[in-house]
Amino acid sequence: MANEMWGGRFAEGPAAIMQEINASIDFDKRLAAQDIRGSIAHCEMIAAQGIIDAQSAEAIVQGLRQVKAEIDAGTFTFRSELEDIHMNVEARLAEIIGSAAGRLHTGRSRNDQVATDFRLWVRDTIDAIDASLADLQQALAEKALEHAGTVMPGFTHLQSAQPVTFGHHMMAYVEMIGRDRGRFQDARKRLNECPLGAAALGGTNFPIDRTRTAAALGFDRPTANSLDSVSDRDFALEALSAASILAMHLSRFAEEIVIWTSAQFAFVKLSDKFTTGSSIMPQKRNPDAAELVRAKSGRIFGSLMGLLTVMKGLTLAYAKDMQEDKEQTFDALDALALCIAATAGMVRDMEPDAKRLRKAAGSGYATATDLANWLVQNLNMPFRDAHHVTGRLVGLASGKGVDLDKLTLAEMQTVEPRITDGIYSVLSVVNSVKSRKSYGGPAPENVKKQAKRWLALLVREKRALASK
């Protein structure tokens, strides 16, 4: 029998394996809300343009709303033989209102329809991600404010470098997440053009109003080239690129949580909410949430590479290869949403061990740079000379098995006779941190100022969003 979608050109239906490989309804049914939104906007536009009569348009819109209600209620039957969400919706619409349903597709194609649906879904998802990232920033900034003066070791090469504060460390991630939000917002700006009306690839000779449709769907403008409109998936690639960089940031933080919660470090504690036990070792408390955030970065990176590979060899305009754009985008952004929520939960849950952190902050001669700076500031010594003197003092302390502040003044003066007891003011980790007040530095007053600035900004954003 002829295929009911493709009409008279085909005398027989597809082979079973062809139907299976061709169908996308199992995953693109997630676009149902966007598909119906786009169809209503298109229907109202072609009615306003006199392309279809008002009575048919009213029936179509009411029928589409019924279809959406059935999907929302879970009573809609998705049929794989109808391939995708677009044909499933249209087929059910025909059952509800009859032949008038056939007028809905006037002036459009499944090519511009899916491009519009997918853009709407990515845009909606970016908005949800942005809100969850703002919540993560709030959690980090609140923790930073609480621990602005909690001294901890700062690392380079995972070796003790200089003392910082736990709050300063949290604020580093606030800044990272801020850049991530900016990348998603930039991607949203570029995707916010409407492909609907580009039809299959070459536009249409119906007198449609693409500007009206774009405005109805919240787009800034219609896309300017019909070929590009249906073949572009840059918007998904940009979202996945931003997602990959964000996932990398979340993975770095997760790695730190894994290290910090280990018995060897014991810098922070996580409660039962974000840890699991062992089936054989009763003493274990495993940071599984952090480990899974770390691991999920791989599947997000893979989704970006997968879609880049799908698109790299495609000529203009549309090709069925593009059906492979959605599953990996859905999967990556679903995984990302989970990672953001889990990270925010861990931030609010974790408790730093202030005593342990302070003790660790002084290990590895972490105030050596402060000592060198003191020599420059107080003895007018060139920094390279001060660096050399400090290195000798570290060697002296190391040979005695003590920290720098445990060297006597007489011992220090064997290396540099002009050293005075004023040097001890910079050798404690607390004073070291307090002294570094340069913009962006870890002094507690700096950390408090930055945390309060971000928290105020996040409150203003939330209010602005609520007023829309």
Side-chain angles (χ1 to χ4, degrees), residues 36-306:
I36 292 171
R37 215 158 96 207
S39 289
I40 289 174
H42 179 72
C43 177
E44 290 175 343
M45 180 273 292
I46 57 178
Q49 294 295 105
I51 297 170
I52 66 171
D53 62 276
Q55 186 176 356
S56 294
E58 184 178 354
I60 289 169
V61 170
Q62 292 303 316
L64 286 169
R65 287 176 178 153
Q66 181 178 329
V67 173
K68 184 176 186 303
E70 291 175 4
I71 292 172
D72 290 345
T75 60
F76 187 92
T77 301
F78 294 99
R79 295 159 52 191
S80 61
E81 69 271 18
L82 294 175
E83 288 190 17
D84 56 31
I85 186 60
H86 324 298
M87 297 310 299
N88 268 266
V89 169
E90 188 174 322
R92 177 60 183 141
L93 181 64
E95 292 173 355
I96 296 169
I97 69 170
S99 60
R103 298 186 184 279
L104 173 61
H105 211 51
T106 307
R108 73 174 184 183
S109 161
R110 281 193 294 175
N111 291 356
D112 61 336
Q113 191 178 353
V114 69
T116 302
D117 293 356
F118 197 22
R119 280 186 190 239
L120 286 170
W121 186 91
V122 171
R123 190 180 72 184
D124 291 346
T125 303
I126 285 175
D127 290 344
I129 286 171
D130 186 68
S132 64
L133 287 177
D135 179 66
L136 174 55
Q137 285 184 301
Q138 181 178 337
L140 287 161
E142 287 171 347
K143 191 69 72 172
L145 192 59
E146 181 184 355
H147 292 283
T150 302
V151 179
M152 71 171 289
F155 297 95
T156 60
H157 310 277
L158 201 55
Q159 306 291 317
S160 290
Q162 287 181 280
V164 293
T165 72
F166 194 79
H168 191 59
H169 202 108
M170 294 299 99
M171 290 306 299
Y173 284 99
V174 173
E175 295 293 332
M176 284 188 216
I177 301 304
R179 295 194 297 274
D180 289 315
R181 291 182 67 192
R183 275 182 278 272
F184 276 112
Q185 289 161 4
D186 287 346
R188 191 192 193 282
K189 288 176 187 175
R190 271 184 290 278
L191 76 75
N192 209 34
E193 297 181 350
C194 184
L196 202 56
L201 76 161
T204 178
N205 54 13
F206 287 101
I208 61 173
D209 184 351
R210 293 190 62 207
T211 300
R212 176 188 174 122
T213 311
L217 293 172
F219 289 106
D220 294 330
R221 63 192 68 83
T223 50
N225 182 283
S226 60
L227 286 168
D228 182 51
S229 300
V230 298
S231 61
D232 166 45
R233 293 299 183 269
D234 290 2
F235 60 92
L237 288 166
E238 276 204 78
L240 290 174
S241 297
S244 295
I245 296 173
L246 169 58
M248 176 269 293
H249 287 154
L250 297 179
S251 183
R252 292 180 72 182
F253 187 52
E255 170 71 358
E256 293 197 308
I257 292 174
V258 171
I259 292 170
W260 290 349
T261 55
S262 68
Q264 289 73 21
F265 275 75
F267 283 179
V268 303
K269 292 180 181 177
L270 286 174
S271 76
D272 296 352
K273 295 177 182 178
F274 292 95
T275 55
T276 65
S278 165
S279 62
I280 189 172
M281 295 171 285
Q283 83 281 8
K284 293 296 292 297
R285 182 186 288 276
N286 300 320
D288 283 4
E291 290 173 7
L292 287 167
V293 168
R294 186 176 60 185
K296 286 182 186 296
S297 61
R299 69 194 293 172
I300 294 168
F301 300 165
S303 294
L304 171 60
M305 188 53 63

Side-chain angles (χ1 to χ4, degrees), residues 20-40:
E20 186 174 348
I21 196 173
N22 199 42
S24 59
I25 188 59
D26 285 347
F27 53 86
D28 70 17
K29 62 186 177 184
R30 290 187 63 169
L31 300 175
Q34 289 80 14
D35 190 69
I36 292 171
R37 215 158 96 207
S39 289
I40 289 174

